Amino acid sequence: MSEGSRPRKQQYLKLPTRSSSPTGDGAKSSSPALTLTLVCRSFLSPRMPRRRRLLIAAMAAALVLVVLTLLFRPRFFSVPREAASKSNGFSDSSAAAPKAKIYLYDLPRKFTYGVVESYLLARVPAAAVSKDDGSFRYPGHQHSAEWWLFTDLLRQVRPATSPVTRVDDPEEADLFYVPFFSSLSLVVNPIRPLGTGGAAVAPVYSDEGMQEDLMQWLEGQEYWKRNMGRDHVFICQDPNALYKVIDRVKKGVLLVSDFGRLRDDQASLVKDVILPYSHRINPFKGDIGVEGRKCLLFFMGNRYRKEGGKVRDTLFQVLEGEEDVVIKHGTQSRESRRMATQGMHSSKFCLHPAGDTPSACRLFDAIVSLCVPVIVSDDIELPFEDVLDYRKIAIFLDTKLSVKPGYLTKHLRNIKTERILEYQRELKSVSRYFEYEYPNGTVNEIWRQVSAKLPLIRLMINRDKRLVERSPGSGTSCITSG
């Protein structure tokens, strides 16, 4: 067959390639005008199949639509503001977000100021207790978060940085806060001497009675019954707070220190919020450095604990007598706090073993002291872990390894000075997360975490409304109402 008689291969679109450039420069081998001309010529060719022509037309239309969208929505090109700007590996969670609307229940006085009054009356003469709620001073207490959250919501003017806004109309509310001072209520009665004949003196205050009274009042409220408490927020920071009624409030958002005394069906990270204890010692005000920190490791606290806290006694046995290690038995008192402040401020590392439950206030005492926490508590939960990377501010050691003689101190002695200074810099940069009195401190972080639960709360409320109760034996579902 002669060359002239060969059938011509149909070719609808041939764009110039890098090799076709006469200059050898592929980047300059074609121009937008030439490319557009070739595309149009190919599209208009009578030899192009109709199906391909329609496909190209559809693609062109889609391209035009995208271009028009971009032109009329310039925000598309803007860099979105992140939920948290990052600094030194930590996130600043103060970025703007829709404020959750929260309603503060006006509980009977006995559940709030009345608890404080009862606590004071059990310890000081009645004449010394003020009857003016505005002048009440909540006692220094590691579980004082309940006071800080309550007084924050009482403010007439809300801080601009707060993630929540208080509403006076419950119909507008996303969440309902129940301000019962449950942790203080638990310890209102001090240890009392035995009465005549060895019988214990009857307590003048009943925490169990208060819990029952609270639920009787709450379960009579319209907004509790509407969603069975799923949109209600309870603070029970002490591990035993609300223990008698916990199964009646477990569908709500629980503000806790850890899950040490709670079952899996009562609490979880999914619906609840971990709070930091309020530190009991004064923060360290100096600069970072190890010159004034001659002690390697410091701990002062109750040696004898229950459950997971039994590791404390073992650590005492292992560490007592170690060079540059101070480990002392001590209970809560003004003198103990003074000694603990001095010890933490002059030590490189501060030991944090589990207590009766996985967490304890000494961790937060150590953080504000710029004393690198050494955490020996395998099941510990920590506050604000969505924005804080605790590996940058603390050392986590396995419990079984830590109780081996010589292991813990050898590990710490091998940490170089520059690494200790890195820990201290990070501790200083995140200290605001653990200061309840700071305007943009712990309280705001708690409200932010509570607000983050709203999508789940709404999901569960809507799901509860459509679930059909099943009779026994009628089949099972992979989803339960919980």
Side-chain angles (χ1 to χ4, degrees), residues 303-347:
R303 176 172 182 166
Y304 305 103
R305 299 275 82 180
K306 297 173 285 186
E307 301 176 15
K310 292 179 180 178
V311 69
R312 288 193 183 186
D313 185 43
T314 307
L315 286 169
F316 264 81
Q317 297 174 39
V318 169
L319 294 171
E320 280 181 322
E322 282 270 10
E323 184 181 358
D324 299 335
V325 172
V326 176
I327 184 164
K328 296 180 179 179
H329 173 77
T331 56
Q332 290 288 347
S333 69
R334 181 173 299 178
E335 178 61 19
S336 292
R337 287 197 295 275
R338 187 193 65 78
M339 294 175 64
T341 299
Q342 182 180 3
M344 287 188 170
H345 288 188
S346 59
S347 301

Side-chain angles (χ1 to χ4, degrees), residues 239-305:
N240 292 315
L242 293 181
Y243 73 95
K244 187 174 179 61
V245 299
I246 195 69
D247 281 322
R248 293 157 71 178
V249 303
K250 66 181 182 180
K251 288 188 176 183
V253 179
L254 305 182
L255 310 184
V256 299
S257 293
D258 60 37
F259 301 132
R261 298 281 171 84
L262 297 168
R263 302 190 309 267
D264 290 344
D265 67 318
Q266 293 173 334
S268 74
L269 285 175
V270 175
K271 74 174 188 67
D272 303 316
V273 175
I274 301 294
L275 307 187
Y277 289 91
S278 178
H279 62 81
R280 301 300 311 281
I281 69 173
N282 297 325
F284 181 73
K285 299 299 184 182
D287 295 326
I288 64 170
V290 296
E291 293 77 11
R293 296 179 181 267
K294 304 303 182 184
C295 178
L296 175 71
L297 180 66
F298 177 84
F299 174 79
M300 184 174 181
N302 197 325
R303 176 172 182 166
Y304 305 103
R305 299 275 82 180

